[in-house]
Amino acid sequence: MGYENIIADKRGAVGIVTLNRPKALNALSAGLIADLGKALDDFEADAEIGCIVVTGSEKAFAAGADIKEMAGFSYMDAYKRDFITDGWERLAQCRKPVIAAVAGYALGGGCEIAMMCDFILAADTAKFGQPEITIGTMPGAGGTQRLTRFVGKSKAMEMCLTGRMMDAEEAERAGLVSRVVPAAELVDEAIKTAERIASMSKPVTMMTKESVNRAYETTLTEGVRFERRLFHSTFATADQKEGMAAFVEKRKPAFKDE
Ligand code: CAA
């Protein structure tokens, strides 16, 4: 399907969404968010897809919500459409694993959608920030909450209050990104990582994602109980039988996603 603001590609079992508003540094307009939502719907419905990569350009993953689009909003405009929940949270609701491959600027809403993904692979050129304060507003797509969970209160507070950007090295040190790779290798590395994830039992990757995410929503006791229930349920899958048989027989497993 053709989109105006993104490019959606399928490479084997990997779905790739490239944010594509180069003239606006991939600013997240309502149209772009709608396109992203549709692409995610398609990839979620496609049984072949086991992992999704969301990426931008060399210069910008995304430079935030579209300032020109929202500059004139009234309180009622924002309130009635529940701006910024309208469509944005689709990414956070995705059940299949999603990797953000970030080069260049990931600012404001750009940093926030990267954090909605399951993990962030960063190019050595990546720059993360929540600069909303410098334009008289504040993060509105989860930045104050998710950034704080990733990097702790002190760094999150400093970044949200000053708008200071974090480079890739600091982001890795602080736990915001899982790995930093040379910019030229970013997309290939993200796809390679996504292919590895997609080669596992797809339902089990989804359960694993659900369980890790639960760590942010509940107490340790309840989280461990939740994990145990899902862990037990994996023994009802054909893929657990196949995976363990393959280990014992010293061969590669052939998962059927059942
Ligand atoms: N919205 C709309 N347009 C944007 C944009 C944004 N967030 N970011 C960049 N652009 C546009 C610029 O207006 C410019 O367009 P024109 O050529 O038509 O003037 C084009 O993209 C290129 O940008 P610059 O000329 O500014 O490029 P630069 O290399 O000099 O600077 C930058 C790059 C530092 C990222 C700078 O563009 C910038 O500061 N952008 C805004 C960052 C920001 O404040 N983001 C937060 C937005 S609010 C938000 O996201 C709310 C939320 O929580 C969801």
Side-chain angles (χ1 to χ4, degrees), residues 3-7 18-23 26 32 55-56:
Y3 292 99
E4 214 175 299
N5 306 288
I6 64 168
I7 298 164
T18 306
L19 309 181
N20 189 34
R21 292 186 72 209
K23 287 188 186 140
N26 294 333
L32 186 150
T55 193

Side-chain angles (χ1 to χ4, degrees), residues 21-28 59-60 62-70 83-84 88 105 107-110 112 129-132 134-135 137-143 165:
R21 292 186 72 209
K23 287 188 186 140
L25 302 184
N26 294 333
L28 302 163
K59 179 157 184 196
D66 192 315
I67 298 170
K68 292 168 189 167
E69 205 172 76
M70 68 181 156
F83 185 61
I84 212 132
W88 288 61
Y105 296 113
L107 302 179
E112 290 168 306
Q130 298 290 160
E132 291 89 342
T134 66
I135 55 168
T137 184
M138 59 179 282
M165 290 185 213

Side-chain angles (χ1 to χ4, degrees), residues 150-189:
F150 276 108
V151 306
K153 177 180 168 185
S154 192
K155 260 188 201 297
M157 191 70 93
E158 187 202 349
M159 287 175 70
C160 291
L161 288 178
T162 67
R164 176 175 85 76
M165 290 185 213
M166 209 187 248
D167 66 17
E169 197 190 311
E170 184 182 2
E172 186 182 26
R173 237 180 14 247
L176 177 58
V177 310
S178 68
R179 270 187 298 138
V180 180
V181 299
E185 294 165 23
L186 176 71
V187 174
D188 284 349
E189 188 57 37

Side-chain angles (χ1 to χ4, degrees), residues 17-149:
V17 176
T18 306
L19 309 181
N20 189 34
R21 292 186 72 209
K23 287 188 186 140
L25 302 184
N26 294 333
L28 302 163
S29 59
L32 186 150
I33 293 295
D35 285 354
L36 174 61
K38 279 192 213 111
L40 292 175
D41 287 346
D42 285 350
F43 288 148
E44 290 248 65
D46 185 336
E48 262 176 24
I49 297 287
C51 191
I52 299 162
V53 173
V54 178
T55 193
S57 69
E58 274 176 34
K59 179 157 184 196
F61 176 73
D66 192 315
I67 298 170
K68 292 168 189 167
E69 205 172 76
M70 68 181 156
F73 275 11
S74 66
Y75 169 74
M76 274 302 149
D77 291 331
Y79 182 79
K80 283 183 180 163
R81 74 177 71 181
D82 204 8
F83 185 61
I84 212 132
T85 306
D86 57 346
W88 288 61
E89 288 284 331
R90 175 66 188 85
L91 189 52
Q93 306 303 332
C94 195
R95 295 180 72 209
K96 292 183 177 177
V98 187
I99 303 173
V102 174
Y105 296 113
L107 302 179
C111 186
E112 290 168 306
I113 65 164
M115 292 189 292
M116 287 178 197
C117 298
D118 296 310
F119 59 93
I120 303 173
L121 278 185
D124 47 14
T125 58
K127 286 191 172 62
F128 299 87
Q130 298 290 160
E132 291 89 342
I133 195 91
T134 66
I135 55 168
T137 184
M138 59 179 282
T144 62
Q145 305 304 299
R146 290 196 177 91
L147 187 64
T148 308
R149 282 165 167 78

